Structure formats: structure tokens, C-alpha cells
Amino acid sequence: HDITISRYDHDTIMSCFNLNLQGWRLILASKSPRRADLLREAGIKFEVRHSQFEEDLPKNSFRGPVEYVESTAVAKGLDVFNTGLGDEERANAIVLAADTIVEGRPGDVWEKPKDEQEAAAMLKSLSNRSHDVHTGVAIVYSDRVIRSFVVTTSVKFIELDDLTISEYVRGGSPMDKAGGYGVQDMFMVESIHGDYFNVVGMPISRVLLELRDIVRK
């Protein structure tokens, strides 16, 4: 596999691991076990509060997928900050939210598949092609201050035949993942250019840098 992982300065990133939040409480506004795992592996203490936002923003009202995914992440973060926390909790809370989508052929923007048929259609459309994985991240804190950004990673698949797609879908792995696949299932990936962990669900290096900047101010 041809994999390029974007790297920040090594010493800078290592200084973010086991980050002392200095009285702040980090709250992950996500049901994703993969995002939680990334924070745990970085030694960051956090709580989980699920966002109740419906993720139903009209895509055609945005200039493109990047603006859409960033807006969705912001909406998730604000939902937890505004309705999931009490007034006293907000005082020292940092809410971290993220949303991931896959942009394939022109006009194809894939989120989580609704059913196995849609999962198979997603994988078929991505077969033997490059696509972009966009993850929007929003960090909400201190009277609704918002930091938001989008990280994009390019992924190319090998050619997938119908039998391979059918067996993969039947195994259940695609159903909770944008684009209908997990990058951890490396058999289908020919190349990755950009942040690998962004495809997993969160650009953890960039997130750690942003958190470090917040707690040091």
C-alpha cells in the first residue's frame, strides 16, 4: 500500500500527548468508538455526551462538501454545549465534535449508508477510483467560542468485484461508517495521501494542537 501520513513537527505533537487540560473538561460529542479510541490513545481524559442533532442540513444550501461537513460538526458541537450541559458545566467545558463524509464522483457525497443496498452502491462507486475524505471538526468552549476546520485526505481503492463487495457488506462493517467502509480494512485501499487518522474519523494531530493552544491561553 502507498500510504502517506501528514506529520507535524514531532516534538510539537509529542508535547500534546497526555495533555494536562488544566481544569478544563473535554467532552466528546460523538457516538463514534473510533474517535474515542484516538483520544484515549493520545492519553487525553474526556467524557462522552451524544449530540441529538439530526444531521439533516440541506447539502444544496452549501457551496460544497467541505462547507457542509464543517457546518455539521459545528451544529453537533453547539447542540451538546447548549442543550447537553448545565450552566455551571459550560464554564470549564470544551466540547469536541466531528463529522466525516466521503466525496467520490462529482455530485456523490456519502455519509453513513442507510441500508446494505446503499452501502454496496457506495463501494461500487468508489471501486478503482480516488476519493476525498473530509472530516469537519468543531471545538466549542468559553461562552460559545467556536474553532472549526476541515481536514481532507485522498484515498484510492483497488478494483472491487461484486462478490467482494457483497461479502464485505454482509459482514456489517460498512453500516456505521461514512462511505460504507473502514480504512482499517486495508485490503481495499491502494493508496492514502494525507492524514490516515482523518479517515479513521478524526485528525488527531490537529485536534491535539488546537486543544493545547486553548488550555495554554
Side-chain angles (χ1 to χ4, degrees):
H1 301 288
D2 176 13
I3 301 176
T4 304
I5 300 176
S6 59
R7 298 183 184 276
Y8 298 90
D9 175 76
H10 178 268
D11 291 340
T12 301
I13 290 299
M14 291 309 295
S15 73
C16 297
F17 279 75
N18 300 305
L19 181 67
N20 182 352
L21 294 176
Q22 300 180 23
W24 291 94
R25 292 168 54 223
L26 179 63
I27 296 169
L28 177 63
S30 176
K31 298 177 183 177
S32 167
R34 292 165 295 282
R35 291 181 184 134
D37 286 344
L38 287 172
L39 287 174
R40 272 190 217 98
E41 289 164 8
I44 304 297
K45 294 180 181 179
F46 65 98
E47 307 166 34
V48 175
R49 302 281 180 95
H50 296 163
S51 169
Q52 301 305 311
F53 178 67
E54 294 291 339
E55 300 187 37
D56 56 357
L57 297 176
K59 293 184 179 68
N60 58 9
S61 67
F62 296 94
R63 286 173 293 182
V66 169
E67 185 179 273
Y68 167 77
V69 77
E70 184 172 9
S71 297
T72 300
V74 169
K76 287 180 176 180
L78 284 173
D79 176 69
V80 169
F81 194 89
N82 291 331
T83 66
L85 301 176
D87 291 339
E88 291 186 4
E89 289 181 299
R90 292 191 196 103
N92 68 337
I94 300 174
V95 174
L96 170 64
D99 190 60
T100 301
I101 60 174
V102 169
E103 181 183 8
R105 298 175 182 178
D108 284 348
V109 177
W110 300 115
E111 297 179 87
K112 298 181 186 71
K114 297 180 179 65
D115 52 38
E116 290 188 353
Q117 288 72 30
E118 186 174 46
M122 290 178 180
L123 292 167
K124 195 172 185 67
S125 76
L126 299 175
S127 174
N128 200 32
R129 290 176 177 270
S130 294
H131 60 273
D132 288 332
V133 179
H134 307 294
T135 297
V137 176
I139 303 172
V140 186
Y141 63 103
S142 290
D143 198 25
R144 299 170 183 81
V145 173
I146 301 171
R147 294 187 180 207
S148 65
F149 56 89
V150 176
V151 174
T152 298
T153 303
S154 178
V155 180
K156 185 178 180 183
F157 274 11
I158 63 172
E159 187 168 0
L160 302 173
D161 59 41
D162 290 344
L163 178 60
T164 299
I165 291 173
S166 176
E167 290 180 345
Y168 183 66
V169 170
R170 197 161 51 242
S173 183
M175 302 314 298
D176 66 339
K177 301 175 181 71
Y181 76 94
V183 71
Q184 304 91 321
D185 305 317
M186 294 294 291
F187 77 90
M188 65 181 69
V189 175
E190 180 176 308
S191 64
I192 298 175
H193 296 283
D195 190 330
Y196 168 85
F197 298 106
N198 188 55
V199 189
V200 174
M202 190 163 61
I204 189 64
S205 295
R206 174 70 184 275
V207 167
L208 292 176
L209 290 171
E210 296 287 344
L211 291 175
R212 188 189 67 167
D213 188 52
I214 290 169
V215 301
R216 287 185 173 181
K217 284 188 174 180

